[in-house]
Structures are given as structure tokens and as C-alpha cells.
Amino acid sequence: MDGYDAVATSTRVSDLRRNYLSFMDTLAQSIANIAPTLTPTLNITLVAANAGMGTWFVYLLTTVGLVLVGMNISVFARRFAASGSMYTYVTRGLGATAGFLSGWGLLAAYLFTAMATLVAFAVYVNQILAYFGTKAPSILLYAVGGVAIWYLSYKDIKFSSMLALFLEFVSVSLIAAMGFIVLAGTGFHIDTAQFSLQGVTLSGLNLAMVLAVFSFVGFESATALGKESRNPFRTIPRAVIMSTIVVGLFFALMSYIEVVGFGSPSALTNSEAPMNDLAAKYHVGWFALLIDLGASISFFSCALASTNAASRIMYAMGRDKIFHESIGRAHLRNQTPHNAVTVCSIMNFLVPTLMVGIKPMDAYGYLGTSATYGFLLAYILISIATTVYLVREGQLKLYHALLSAGGVLVMMVPLIGSFYPVPSFPYNMFPYLFLLYLFVGIIWFRRVASQNPASLKQVAMDFDANEEIIFSRK
């Protein structure tokens, strides 16, 4: 099927808008889903607790590893453009069941990410309100944020993507400005202890990399816009790789700056709000309000990007009749997956609301950790699928096999780290709950296939008819 340069025809009256999104629009999706502001404000302290002076190095190493995964994704992104993201790609390489597992895992990953960042959005909005001596109920903020995300996703993917990129740009600019203030306050000196990796151990780097990978999840989400992008075979791979490199360099730089600013990794690790503490330490305490504003913006844009990605995977599965057919319909005027967006938005609101009895940042941790397993599963499957697909097509080169092996090995580090050493309760339960989720998904998938025997074969062998994939000659 790779020899066609056409879009498969369809009798459906509505579909996603074709040839609509520019390179910047697709890049915006991946960057907003990574939410680069969150790492300097939250995640770096966790990595520094294990990597110490090597925190910046861990982020560079992780960037290289995820570029390998991104290059595996690009093998498919250069050949197929679809709304199903890695659900489509893995199916092409490994068949219907593995493809379903990839889509099922990614759906949970994007939804849990949206839920987690909606919770954190409410937390940071309340921190901003606290400066003015007031506070809003969390449920109210979930509702306001959730409705805004639903409306933006429902109306126009281009507008919502560019808004997410703009909001993230504002937020990252505030973080970068604070970084410059720190460097100026320390005299722009070179920290030789960091560059020599003083006191860094191999075991510490291993554990730190587990946490560092979590900072990047969602970098591949531009692949969900394949049907809506202009020149997708060029645009999507560039967006996936460029977002990883640009954001990874930003993480490494901010890691270096934060260690310099606090004077030691241990001082950084003991900070619950590192950017706010740096603002106070370097006599710009008023900057903390701007940082909190930037963080709330970043959480919102991440929730928006995650909802866009989740709805398109759900839409693709609706097209394949894994979900009800209505989920696979697009809005006649807006040409967005409006039913899938609505379902995702309802779930984004309901789950955090049901967790109101849990401390907000604990809820953020639980939801964020749950999301990670879906991403890891998809990253491992896509890395394996690359070699299998290229062997079958007679196109495998040595560097393809090395990319595939490298992607699997890198992702096995955080996967193994999720089971051993055994995390504390309740985090030790999450891997097994995710396995239960996969088991339930397989039962559902087999039930659908048994009711419509042709559907299983169609999902595995005829995606061009179901998913209306655009094929490239590459």
C-alpha cells in the first residue's frame, strides 16, 4: 500500500480538516504536551536528588535516548499520516492486537496527563489568588479550566495549538528570565563541579534517568495531527525530533542554572518551589508571582494539548468500531473530533473532582505516574515495530536496527525502575493497576472482534480504508 500518493476515498460526510496545520502548529502540539515549564518548577528537584551534580548530564543523556525513540516514530511518520498516532503505526508493524494495546495505553496516558495538569493548574491558580488574599474551590477551577479546554479543542485545532504554544512561550520566557537573573547574581562563573560530574554515581544516574524521562512524555503527540497537517511526511517527523532536542537542551540548561543558584544539589532538592525560592534568594521576590502565573499557563496548555491528542486517538478507534461509531465522527463545520473531545473533557473533569479528598499535589503525582506507563508501553512497542515493519518491507538497514534496539533499551530503564527498587505505597500499586487496565482492554477488544469478525482483520490489514491514511512513496 506504500505506493500510493492519494487519500483513500470515503463516503463519510465529515472528517478532520486536511492540509490545515503548518509546521509551527504541529510543533506547538508536541511542545505544549511536554510542558517545558513544569520541569524547572517541579521535576528537576526530583532528578537532582539522585543525580546531584550530574543533573544537567542526565537530561542531555535522556534527550539523546528519546531522540532515538523519535527517530523510530519518524520511520512511520514519513510513510503514513493518520490521526491515530502510534496506534496506527504499531498496527502497521506488529498487527491489530499490539496496535490496540499501543492506542489503549496512549489514550490512558494522554487522559491522565490532562487530568494531572488540570489539577496542577488549579493549584497554581490558587497560589496566585493567595497573593490577593483569596482562594477558589478546586472543583470550580476544574470546571472553568475543563470547559475552556473543551471549547478550544471543540472549535479549532489550529487556534488551540497556537494558543498553547503562545502560552508555553510566555511561561518559558519567564523561567529563562529568572535563569538569567540567577547567572547574573552568581557572576556568570563556570561550575567545574557540575562539568566534572563530581560525586555522581552510576546507580544515581540510573534512578535519575527514570525521573528525567517523565519530563518528556508527550513529545510524540504531533503524530496525532497527521491527517490535519500540511505535508505531514515532512512536518510530523521534524516536529517530533525538534521538540525533543529544543526542550531537552532547555532542561539541561535550567538544571545547571538551578544547581548554581542554590549552591548545591542538596539545597535544590530540599526546595518545594525552586523557582520561587530562587526569586527570593536573588532579591526579585515579586518575580515569584510571574513564575506562578507562567506555571499555571503551562499546566493549562499541557491539559489542552493532551486533550487534543487523546481525542484524536479515540476518534481513530471510533472509526475502527472499537468504540461507538459516534466517537469516530467529526464536526461538519469545525472538522474536529467533537464527540471524542466531549467525552475526554467530561473525564478530565470527573476524575479530579472525585479525588478532591486527596491532597492536590498527591493527586497530581498519582495521575502523572499512571500516565507514564501508557507512554512507556507505546514507546517500546513503536521501537520494536520499526524493525519488524522494515524487515517485512525489505527496507531494513543496520542503523534502523540500532535505532530500534536503542529505543527499547532506553525505555526499559524507567520501566524496570517502576518495579524495582519497589516504590513506596501507593506508587508500588500503579504498575499492576496499569496491567489490569491492559487486561480489561484486551477483553474489550476481543469482544468487539468476536461480534464483528471482519473488524479485527480490517484493523490489522486495511487501515487505509478505516483510518483513511494518507500514503507516501517513501
Side-chain angles (χ1 to χ4, degrees), residues 324-347:
H324 192 273
E325 289 184 6
S326 62
I327 299 298
R329 295 174 187 160
H331 195 279
L332 285 171
R333 183 177 65 255
N334 299 334
Q335 293 182 284
T336 58
H338 61 302
N339 291 330
V341 165
T342 301
V343 171
C344 291
S345 298
I346 291 172
M347 295 175 68

Side-chain angles (χ1 to χ4, degrees), residues 442-457:
I442 287 293
I443 293 176
W444 173 259
F445 183 56
R446 291 297 175 181
R447 178 176 178 272
V448 170
S450 66
Q451 291 178 343
N452 183 9
S455 65
L456 183 60
K457 181 178 179 181

Side-chain angles (χ1 to χ4, degrees), residues 408-429:
V408 172
L409 288 174
V410 169
M411 291 302 100
M412 288 303 295
V413 173
L415 182 62
I416 293 172
S418 299
F419 290 90
Y420 183 83
V422 179
S424 59
F425 181 84
Y427 289 94
N428 62 324
M429 301 297 297

Side-chain angles (χ1 to χ4, degrees), residues 111 146 149-150 153 307 340-350:
L111 284 173
I149 289 167
W150 168 81
S153 299
T307 301
V341 165
T342 301
V343 171
C344 291
S345 298
I346 291 172
M347 295 175 68
N348 290 347
F349 170 75
L350 285 179

